[in-house]
Amino acid sequence: MIESQNLNKLYKHSDVTQEKEKSICENIVFESLFYSHSDDIRNYIFYKCGDQQLAEDIVQETFLSLWHQCAKVPFKKAKYFLFRVAKNNFLNIIKHKKVILDHTKYFLPSEITNEDPEFIIEEKEFMIKLQKAILKLSNKQREVFLLNRIDGKKYAEIAVIIGISVKAVEKRMHNALLILRKEIGNV
């Protein structure tokens, strides 16, 4: 730790004209770039994503890219290169995550259940019976039944919506339930 701090001070205070002439491929120049820019790049990426670990990973990948291309990158443009590569790495990760999310929705089972398959079949059969029984109701009975059981409206609300008395709503609901019980059993 102390050694890296001393190296950092040494790199920051070294002769800038000598470093400009040196190649980034030299260890001392590369380390100087790392110590002088890694914190700024990490913070730049962290401010974009809010993920410290991701920011540190991108810094490592960025400097690895610089190392692989050290002969091609002039020292004067190293800082620009580092920030551009870091930004592109970040954008590629975001793009990749988006692709994964887009494809994940197609591969997830639409219905995950721990229910007994027999129960599921019985439930589907019951729903088919119920739908057929509801179709046998008169329009007025069906309207009141669905408003009450599906939309959760109270009789007074249904009366206001339809424009009839609460007693008429009760009568229609009573008749609807009688028909449904006859068709599918106890509702």
Side-chain angles (χ1 to χ4, degrees):
M1 179 81 164
I2 295 172
E3 189 176 306
S4 66
Q5 289 174 346
N6 290 337
L7 281 174
N8 198 9
K9 289 178 184 176
L10 174 70
Y11 297 137
K12 287 185 178 181
H13 297 297
S14 63
D15 188 4
V16 176
T17 56
Q18 276 184 341
E19 285 186 12
K20 286 184 182 178
E21 295 170 6
K22 291 184 180 182
S23 170
I24 294 173
C25 295
E26 294 178 34
N27 282 339
I28 195 159
V29 175
F30 186 82
E31 287 178 18
S32 171
L33 286 170
F34 181 80
Y35 286 116
S36 59
H37 298 300
S38 62
D39 288 342
D40 293 337
I41 294 169
R42 187 191 63 242
N43 291 341
Y44 170 70
I45 297 300
F46 176 72
Y47 298 151
K48 284 185 161 294
C49 68
D51 184 346
Q52 185 73 26
Q53 186 62 46
L54 178 62
E56 290 175 8
D57 290 346
I58 289 175
V59 168
Q60 294 298 319
E61 289 175 28
T62 301
F63 278 95
L64 186 62
S65 295
L66 177 63
W67 183 252
H68 288 301
Q69 298 182 26
C70 64
K72 298 176 186 176
V73 180
F75 183 83
K76 291 178 185 177
K77 296 187 179 185
K79 183 177 179 180
Y80 169 76
F81 175 85
L82 289 168
F83 277 90
R84 187 185 71 210
V85 169
K87 179 181 175 186
N88 288 342
N89 285 344
F90 171 71
L91 293 175
N92 288 339
I93 289 170
I94 297 301
K95 191 185 307 180
H96 180 69
K97 285 182 179 180
K98 184 178 179 198
V99 168
I100 289 172
L101 287 174
D102 287 345
H103 289 293
T104 305
K105 66 182 174 188
Y106 296 114
F107 295 109
L108 288 177
S110 58
E111 292 182 21
I112 299 174
T113 181
N114 292 334
E115 308 233 348
D116 181 30
E118 217 174 286
F119 174 78
I120 294 171
I121 291 171
E122 288 174 6
E123 186 180 36
K124 286 181 181 179
E125 289 174 355
F126 176 78
M127 292 306 289
I128 291 170
K129 267 185 173 178
L130 179 62
Q131 289 173 353
K132 286 180 182 178
I134 290 173
L135 289 175
K136 290 185 179 181
L137 298 174
S138 71
N139 288 340
K140 293 176 181 181
Q141 292 169 340
R142 186 179 318 114
E143 181 180 36
V144 168
F145 178 79
L146 294 175
L147 282 170
N148 178 256
R149 297 295 167 101
I150 303 299
D151 291 345
K153 304 280 186 206
K154 304 223 181 279
Y155 288 174
E157 293 173 303
I158 296 170
V160 171
I161 292 170
I162 298 176
I164 58 175
S165 70
V166 175
K167 280 288 185 191
V169 171
E170 290 172 359
K171 179 75 174 167
R172 288 181 187 179
M173 187 64 169
H174 175 74
N175 290 336
L177 291 174
L178 287 175
I179 292 170
L180 291 175
R181 282 189 189 113
K182 180 181 169 190
E183 292 295 321
I184 56 174
N186 219 3
V187 177

